[in-house]
Amino acid sequence: MALAETNSTSRTHNAQDRVWFERIPASYWVVGIVLLIMPAFASDFALYQVFGWTFILGMISLSLMFLGGYGGMVSLVQMSIAGLAGYMVAIFGDSAITDISMGWPWYVAIPLALIVAMLFGTIVGSLAVRTEGIYTIMITLAVAAAFFYFTRQNYVVFNGFSGFNGVLPPDLFGVDWRQSKPFYYLTLFWAAVAYFSVLYISRAPFGLALQGVRDNPRRMAALGYSVNAHRIAAYAFAALIAGTGGILLTWQSAQISPGTAGIGPAIDILVIAVIGGMSRPIGPFIGAFIYVLLKTFAIDVLLSVGLSGERFQLLIGLGFLAIVFFSPDGLLGLWDRWQDYRKRDPLLDRGEDMR
């Protein structure tokens, strides 16, 4: 027993003595290198439309995954938060609607947009934490619907149905960030920041306490933790991620309108998160990649077989139903099952079944 404790202690010290990059799994290095060299062999369309859009939708879905996976709170207002951040960049910064846009410099407009998005997320969170389960979904859906109709009908601030166009990223370091390669690296960088931030916070004291609140809020309250404060703080952090994704989404299309943050896009974010899996931060990016591929190429596939291109939503819906039916944990759940199946010993399992 003493020998076992000595071996365990030595392994712990060896793990702690390793340099930080030696602790990173090999799969992270492979994926990182592939993503970094992607512009060397991918087309401009793939970099800008497929991967850029994937990283953006993945970030917004990641904010939902953080709330749902670690906090047990499914929020349908994340796309509205992203849209509000996009609107604020257009209003505080430059756009083609010069009568409304204030033309402030980017280092003022972007932080203010993120602050407004976080305040909005915090307010919604303070309302949503008073409910649980289906009622949380309904109240956030109601807020998303109210935001859509308000922006559509308000012409003084949000310019109504048309919204804002000509919303471009700032020219920093002499780089045109709307070009395919610069925009790819821009979205990749912020997606990586969001991913590793969620990964870090999930293992930090706040993240562990949030997961405790998710599993047993009464016990956490008895231990002295403020349940509502942790949940509201989670909404604020998720709003920061969604707001960053919303600004990038606005820059990608160079416009923001009520349709960007409508009811349909809000449901799409939930679909993306569920398809990829709500258990780990990589899930939303997997779901976003599949969603973007379907939305980009499904129309061409349907037209090639003689069907209407408008039925591409049907393919997305059928794929969503199939994944949820076979694996409630999304594609990550299927991957975990396959890994468990590979590790299974047929002889031992057969013996256990016979007993």
Side-chain angles (χ1 to χ4, degrees):
M1 185 174 181
L3 180 61
E5 292 179 355
T6 303
N7 291 336
S8 177
T9 304
S10 63
R11 285 195 299 268
T12 303
H13 284 300
N14 290 335
Q16 293 177 349
D17 292 339
R18 287 186 301 173
V19 187
W20 65 269
F21 57 81
E22 294 180 350
R23 304 175 192 171
I24 302 177
S27 58
Y28 279 64
W29 288 110
V30 173
V31 173
I33 292 173
V34 170
L35 291 176
L36 286 176
I37 65 174
M38 184 70 68
F41 51 85
S43 65
D44 290 342
F45 175 81
L47 293 176
Y48 192 86
Q49 186 64 29
V50 177
F51 287 102
W53 198 17
T54 295
F55 296 144
I56 293 171
L57 293 181
M59 290 179 63
I60 302 174
S61 301
L62 179 64
S63 68
L64 172 57
M65 175 268 151
F66 177 77
L67 292 173
Y70 296 127
M73 304 169 290
V74 179
S75 169
L76 295 182
V77 78
Q78 300 310 113
M79 194 64 194
S80 300
I81 296 174
L84 179 61
Y87 268 112
M88 291 300 103
V89 165
I91 293 172
F92 293 137
D94 294 315
S95 76
I97 313 300
T98 56
D99 295 338
I100 300 178
S101 295
M102 300 179 181
W104 292 351
W106 66 269
Y107 49 83
V108 175
I110 294 176
L112 281 178
L114 293 176
I115 291 173
V116 171
M118 290 183 66
L119 288 175
F120 180 56
T122 303
I123 294 172
V124 173
S126 64
L127 298 174
V129 297
R130 304 176 186 274
T131 61
E132 293 182 359
I134 186 65
Y135 300 103
T136 302
I137 298 176
M138 294 305 298
I139 194 171
T140 53
L141 179 61
V143 173
F147 178 81
F148 167 70
Y149 287 110
F150 178 75
T151 55
R152 188 174 182 178
Q153 297 172 4
N154 182 282
Y155 284 85
V156 177
V157 178
F158 295 99
N159 199 36
F161 183 82
S162 301
F164 295 83
N165 53 24
V167 186
L168 305 176
D171 292 330
L172 294 179
F173 312 111
V175 178
D176 182 4
W177 294 102
R178 287 208 74 222
Q179 295 296 318
S180 58
K181 292 181 180 179
F183 190 78
Y184 169 83
Y185 283 117
L186 179 66
T187 54
L188 173 61
F189 172 78
W190 287 111
V193 169
Y195 173 80
F196 286 109
S197 296
V198 169
L199 200 63
Y200 173 78
I201 289 181
S202 67
R203 302 172 183 177
F206 170 76
L208 297 176
L210 182 63
Q211 294 170 60
V213 169
R214 173 200 63 191
D215 297 334
N216 199 326
R218 289 186 178 181
R219 178 174 295 181
M220 294 298 291
L223 292 174
Y225 290 91
S226 177
V227 172
N228 285 345
H230 278 78
R231 288 174 172 172
I232 294 173
Y235 269 95
F237 175 71
L240 176 61
I241 297 176
T244 304
I247 293 174
L248 294 173
L249 182 63
T250 303
W251 286 346
Q252 185 191 36
S253 58
Q255 63 89 29
I256 181 71
S257 64
T260 305
I263 305 300
I267 301 299
D268 288 343
I269 294 300
L270 176 63
V271 170
I272 289 171
V274 172
I275 287 178
M278 299 274 284
S279 59
R280 293 194 290 275
I282 193 62
F285 293 99
I286 297 175
F289 183 64
I290 295 174
Y291 175 85
V292 169
L293 288 180
L294 287 175
K295 194 144 189 176
T296 304
F297 300 107
I299 296 179
D300 296 332
V301 174
L302 290 173
L303 292 177
S304 65
V305 297
L307 297 176
S308 173
E310 298 177 355
R311 297 181 181 272
F312 76 95
Q313 293 283 10
L314 177 63
L315 291 181
I316 297 176
L318 292 176
F320 174 74
L321 290 176
I323 291 175
V324 171
F325 180 78
F326 290 104
S327 175
D329 295 332
L331 294 177
L332 288 178
L334 292 176
W335 172 260
D336 292 338
R337 289 184 187 179
W338 182 68
Q339 291 289 87
D340 294 338
Y341 177 80
R342 288 184 58 192
K343 296 176 181 177
R344 188 179 63 176
D345 190 327
L347 295 179
L348 294 178
D349 291 342
R350 182 179 180 183
E352 293 176 356
D353 294 339
M354 292 177 64
R355 287 198 299 270

